[in-house]
Amino acid sequence: MTSITLIQGDITTQSVDAIVNAANSTLLGGGGVDGAIHRRGGPAILAECRELRAGPYRRGLPVGAAVATTAGDMDARWVIHTVGPVYSHDEDRSDLLASCYRESLRVATELGATTIAFPAISTGVYGWPMDDGARTAVETVRATVPDTSIEEVRFVLFDQRAYRAFESALG
Ligand code: AR6
């Protein structure tokens, strides 16, 4: 049985095999969680991201996809970069948000990771409503983990509002 745990805090200080980054398609950094991960992990992460851009991801990482790099100076072994959808009032993009969680777990399993930490993807700069983002995250992870190598999924929520939304989604 995989355990799903919640903590309020900073994802960059987690001791897990893989930390998931809510990145953008350029893979070259940004604000929010992405900025924090690159700051804390140091230049090795950006160097690998640049190689990915020069090679297999010349056109950028598609929304809903995931790819791994080193975690640089952080405790984790890998950072799994995924690109959440920008929230839209006109179009339901939930499948793309779910895909971020599914693909990250798939990449983690390929790496042989057993512990993984997720932020609340798309709920910051990308504007996804927190309660809905939390439900999609929890439902998708619950449905996907039985097919993975993962023993612990840790949602790391930055503030109390996010923590409560995930608590309620977990039921
Ligand atoms: N640890 C855990 N959660 C965090 C941290 C942290 N250190 N910092 C912020 N959060 P966001 P997005 C929470 O904006 O919405 C970037 O510029 C934050 O409170 O980081 O997917 C990228 O480069 C929020 O709940 O990601 C992209 O351009 C959640 O993490 C764009 O933002 C996600 O917020 C991606 O936007």
Side-chain angles (χ1 to χ4, degrees):
M1 262 298 268
T2 303
S3 66
I4 300 180
T5 56
L6 305 182
I7 75 153
Q8 191 182 325
D10 179 353
I11 201 165
T12 64
T13 62
Q14 302 302 307
S15 293
V16 286
D17 292 335
I19 286 175
V20 176
N21 182 19
N24 60 63
S25 289
T26 71
L27 289 175
L28 299 180
V33 142
D34 196 8
I37 284 174
H38 280 282
R39 266 196 307 279
R40 186 119 189 164
I45 301 175
L46 188 58
E48 260 190 62
C49 285
R50 287 193 198 284
E51 280 173 28
L52 289 167
R53 284 303 308 279
Y57 294 103
R58 224 165 264 276
R59 310 175 71 167
L61 183 65
V63 177
V67 67
T69 66
T70 174
D73 301 330
M74 293 187 288
D75 278 351
R77 297 174 68 184
W78 302 285
V79 171
I80 297 175
H81 307 264
T82 188
V83 184
V86 174
Y87 184 74
S88 163
H89 290 278
D90 309 322
E91 189 189 3
D92 182 5
R93 298 178 179 164
S94 309
D95 283 353
L96 287 168
L97 183 58
S99 174
C100 290
Y101 289 97
R102 267 196 307 270
E103 285 299 300
S104 297
L105 290 167
R106 187 185 60 72
V107 169
T109 298
E110 269 177 18
L111 293 166
T114 60
T115 54
I116 186 169
F118 281 102
I121 299 166
S122 285
T123 65
V125 174
Y126 284 176
W128 207 284
M130 186 60 77
D131 289 335
D132 192 73
R135 271 194 302 272
T136 300
V138 168
E139 277 172 22
T140 307
V141 164
R142 274 196 176 133
T144 309
V145 283
D147 305 320
T148 70
S149 62
I150 304 299
E151 291 164 9
E152 185 194 351
V153 175
R154 191 179 303 171
F155 288 109
V156 182
L157 295 325
F158 211 41
D159 54 25
Q160 201 171 52
R161 190 176 67 91
Y163 184 89
R164 291 207 171 122
F166 274 72
E167 200 174 38
S168 145
L170 259 185

